[in-house]
Amino acid sequence: MTEAVAPTDVVVVGAGPVGLMLAGELARAGVEAVVLERRDVPTTASRASTLHARTMEILDSRGLLPRFGSPPAEPRGHFGGIPMDLILPSSHPGQWKVPQTSTESVLQQWALALGAGIRRGVEVVELVEDPGQVRVRAVGPAGEIEIPASYVVACDGEDSTVRRLLRADFPGQDAVRELLRADVDGIGVRDRRFERLDAGLAIAARRADGVTRVMVHAFGARVRDRADEPAFEEIATAWKQVTGEDISAGTPLWANSFGDAARQLTRYRHGRVLFAGDAAHRQMPIGGQALNLGLQDAFNLGWKLAAVIRGDNGPDLLDSYHDERHAVGATVLSNIRAQALLLLGGPEVEPLRAVLAELIGHEEVRARLAGVISGLDIRYAMGGGGDPLLGARLPPSTLRVAQDSVTTAALLRRGGGLLLDLGTGCGAFPELAAWRDRVTVVSARAGPGSALDVPAEAVLVRPDGHVAWTSEAELGLSEALTRWFGPPTDRP
């Protein structure tokens, strides 16, 4: 017998960082979200360990950073194993070392506290789209369940069940090379970053608890034929082949591999079913970009989906999610494919690595690559002219609001849209009255040298922190408000 579960606004499939981020965003906006996760308990394997500057800014805008404690920050990263400085203007420049287990724990506690639900040990087996809803059939510990939802969002990873059920077009290339990795206790190999030896690539990093993460690729080795995780013996053999060191006496705590496959959904939206994170794009997780890309997908989608469900805006708003994030995903996949070649290619790529290492020494090249890796260079198409702020994230700044100093991150925690009045006075925007239930006006002053010491006297900011309009733009304020916050209303 199938258990009929009460209808919900959104079913999120997958309780990894991306699904939990989305559930928290939806719950924060007053939308009911239920997360279905096939695993009985959260994973203890910390696959990703890097949060980039833009993700840190996002977490700050939700007041979540104190929950992460004081993670170490590293100013330097790499592009395909070539060291480079990642520092760009940001409240949290560089990269921050946070185990994925910690990220999941923080996001889960946040989502649950806001009212999201999580059901574990539940595997989705069918989606049926009816007029106005999607019925999600799943199998759980007590048998089969069916949950009607207004929308479904697949955040269920690179082997997405939802993607398979929908037979969604997922073009690209399969992996031809792979990197083996393991967390190993009881070994004493030295730390090394992207050490290229005659036989292959070796990476090792010892954690504070004494566990060492090793990663290895033997030049010319192809991906394994089977889909299961590699045995530690295989990793130890490859490590000895490449480095000459024997780690076989160590105790493996976790082992896996990742290849250089590169695939992306043709469409991130399929009617009432949407995709985010690795379910929408598959790439080699070089430099932590995969996790950060997925978290930023969820951040872009959450407020839009909530606005549609609340009736503030129409379903067409969800098309902007595909337009914006598909383009960003394509850019990231392109740079990761280039990095994979530089990282895992044999001696034949050495001339290319030498040329790129020289180019990275030029600030314009370094800043461009650092912007792509960190997510700080993202600029969505808003229309309306060439104001450099338009479409970009609101630059982190400290503003004078009344008698207080307030960060832009703190202002974004209020929820909804934000109109920053930087000098004109609220009376200059009488049309805003019809959106006061969705947009907050804040009169503020930016000091000399501030990132917001700009010609624009007013800036409209979406809930995800991206600038949708400025007083220097060619499009009108009413047009921007309607596009992102829905039609005007006479609600008080």
Side-chain angles (χ1 to χ4, degrees), residues 11-320:
V11 166
V12 178
V13 183
V18 177
L20 294 169
M21 183 80 199
L22 178 62
E25 283 291 286
L26 293 170
R28 179 177 180 270
V31 168
E32 187 177 37
V34 174
V35 182
L36 303 183
E37 170 56 53
R38 64 179 179 81
R39 296 174 300 180
D40 293 325
V41 295
T43 180
T44 57
S46 186
R47 297 173 181 268
S49 60
T50 300
L51 297 179
H52 286 296
R54 179 56 188 150
T55 300
M56 294 294 284
E57 291 178 0
I58 285 171
L59 296 171
D60 192 16
S61 74
R62 295 301 181 254
L64 291 173
L65 285 187
R67 306 188 190 194
F68 286 87
S70 302
E74 296 180 1
R76 291 180 66 77
H78 70 93
F79 189 90
I82 300 171
M84 61 175 287
D85 192 334
L86 290 178
I87 297 297
L88 290 172
S90 169
S91 57
H92 295 82
Q95 57 181 357
W96 301 73
K97 307 311 290 183
V98 179
Q100 184 172 320
T101 49
S102 298
T103 302
E104 285 193 17
S105 176
V106 167
L107 293 176
Q108 175 173 295
Q109 293 173 28
W110 177 59
L112 289 173
L114 290 169
I118 301 176
R119 296 184 65 147
R120 293 191 174 272
V122 177
E123 185 167 5
V124 174
V125 296
E126 185 180 22
L127 299 176
V128 180
E129 187 162 351
D130 298 325
Q133 70 172 14
V134 182
R135 285 182 289 122
V136 181
R137 287 186 55 244
V139 176
E144 192 172 276
I145 62 174
E146 183 173 284
I147 309 176
S150 297
Y151 287 89
V152 172
V153 184
C155 303
D156 53 343
E158 59 183 22
D159 297 318
S160 169
T161 296
V162 175
R163 193 179 63 226
R164 174 178 53 79
L165 291 173
L166 265 61
R167 296 184 174 89
D169 189 27
F170 196 48
Q173 68 175 35
D174 291 329
V176 296
R177 303 179 184 89
E178 68 179 350
L179 195 62
L180 306 176
R181 65 178 172 178
D183 286 346
V184 189
D185 198 8
I187 59 175
V189 299
R190 62 179 173 82
D191 284 3
R192 66 200 83 189
R193 282 177 61 84
F194 308 110
E195 184 175 56
R196 290 175 64 84
L197 302 164
D198 290 342
L201 172 75
I203 303 162
R206 186 179 177 87
R207 302 192 317 224
D209 62 2
V211 174
T212 300
R213 173 164 294 186
V214 297
M215 292 187 268
V216 62
H217 170 73
F219 292 147
R222 298 293 174 173
V223 294
R224 295 166 303 113
D225 292 333
R226 54 191 182 278
D228 56 332
E229 303 295 13
F232 176 59
E233 290 76 11
E234 295 177 73
I235 300 173
T237 297
W239 185 266
K240 188 169 185 178
Q241 176 187 345
V242 171
T243 68
E245 300 168 351
D246 187 357
I247 62 171
S248 60
T251 302
L253 305 181
W254 168 68
N256 86 331
S257 65
F258 53 91
D260 60 351
R263 292 187 175 275
Q264 185 178 27
L265 279 176
T266 302
R267 292 180 293 135
Y268 283 15
R269 181 188 178 196
H270 291 244
R272 290 181 173 271
V273 180
L274 300 107
F275 292 81
D278 287 349
H281 38 75
R282 183 173 186 173
Q283 60 286 304
M284 197 171 189
I286 295 176
Q289 286 181 264
L291 171 61
N292 289 269
L293 181 64
L295 290 172
Q296 291 164 34
D297 286 345
F299 197 64
N300 182 285
L301 176 59
W303 70 273
K304 295 175 180 178
L305 187 53
V308 171
I309 290 172
R310 291 195 310 259
D312 292 340
N313 214 328
D316 288 349
L317 180 64
L318 298 178
D319 290 334
S320 74

Side-chain angles (χ1 to χ4, degrees), residues 372-454:
V372 172
I373 292 170
S374 65
L376 295 176
D377 73 334
I378 295 170
R379 186 178 181 189
Y380 299 132
M382 300 289 177
D387 188 330
L389 276 180
L390 199 60
R393 83 200 202 285
L394 184 70
S397 309
T398 298
L399 302 172
R400 194 71 177 173
V401 178
Q403 302 303 313
D404 299 319
S405 293
V406 182
T407 65
T408 48
L411 293 175
L412 290 171
R413 292 173 201 152
R414 302 183 181 199
L418 174 68
L419 183 74
L420 275 179
D421 173 16
L422 298 172
T424 60
C426 298
F429 308 108
E431 63 268 57
L432 190 64
W435 284 273
R436 284 297 181 90
D437 58 328
R438 285 156 281 174
V439 179
T440 300
V441 180
V442 175
S443 295
R445 297 292 178 270
S450 164
L452 282 174
D453 183 16
V454 293

